[in-house]
Amino acid sequence: MFDLKLFRKDKKISQTKLAEILGVGQSFISQIESGKDPMPEAFIVKLSEIYPTDNIRAYDKNDNIDIKIKEANAFDIVAMGGEVYANLLNKLIREKQLAPFALLEQKEQEIKELNREIGRLEERLENSKKTDVQEEGDATCAVAK
């Protein structure tokens, strides 16, 4: 069962906007979210195309996991474990309890650039103060070194 409501909230999309994207009425989105109608596979495919960098399958909750495990071979079980791990990581990222390394690296670069800009602004402010003092009144001022 696909958790459309969680997906929609994570993406900050209204039911109306999602209905527009998928080409259906808002009431159909509401029925899917309330569990009255299943999520069509075509919608999942379309959302995967629109959000290619996201793991859309992370929103897919398997109600029949016990049956799948009983029928699974060793490879299937390892794959399921990987999927569980990926879902957990996605959940932690969505809940902002874990940040992807690339995001941390990007934020660190932004902080460095902001600190450089602060330094440039402080220097301009100091130069402006010196200029203002030199230009005031009839007093003669020594040029600061």
Side-chain angles (χ1 to χ4, degrees), residues 1-2 21 24 34-35 48 54 63 77 83 101 107 124 133:
M1 174 181 231
F2 190 87
I21 290 169
V24 296
S34 67
S48 296
D54 295 342
D63 294 335
I77 291 173
E83 188 175 333
F101 180 75
K107 294 298 178 190
R124 285 179 58 196
V133 168

Side-chain angles (χ1 to χ4, degrees), residues 18-129:
L18 185 59
E20 256 181 55
I21 290 169
L22 296 175
V24 296
Q26 178 271 327
S27 62
F28 186 61
I29 299 297
S30 178
Q31 288 181 330
I32 293 171
E33 287 185 359
S34 67
K36 292 178 184 169
D37 284 322
M39 174 79 163
E41 183 66 25
F43 288 8
I44 297 171
V45 171
K46 188 166 187 172
L47 291 174
S48 296
E49 292 168 358
I50 295 170
Y51 299 96
T53 58
D54 295 342
N55 183 3
I56 299 297
R57 293 293 176 182
Y59 296 92
D60 199 359
K61 297 178 180 178
N62 289 326
D63 294 335
N64 302 323
I65 194 74
D66 292 334
I67 295 169
K68 286 188 169 194
I69 289 174
K70 287 178 186 174
E71 297 173 355
N73 60 33
F75 179 79
D76 293 334
I77 291 173
V78 170
M80 280 187 246
E83 188 175 333
V84 168
Y85 180 72
N87 289 342
L88 177 61
L89 284 177
N90 282 328
K91 179 181 180 223
L92 292 172
I93 290 169
R94 278 195 314 271
E95 293 173 354
K96 299 187 181 359
Q97 294 179 10
L98 178 70
F101 180 75
L103 180 62
L104 293 174
E105 200 170 272
Q106 175 188 357
K107 294 298 178 190
E108 191 173 304
Q109 280 301 115
E110 289 174 11
I111 289 169
K112 284 180 184 176
E113 183 56 38
L114 288 170
N115 283 333
R116 282 193 288 273
E117 182 65 20
I118 288 169
R120 287 190 292 267
L121 291 171
E122 286 174 338
E123 185 179 337
R124 285 179 58 196
L125 180 61
E126 286 301 313
N127 288 337
S128 174
K129 287 178 183 177

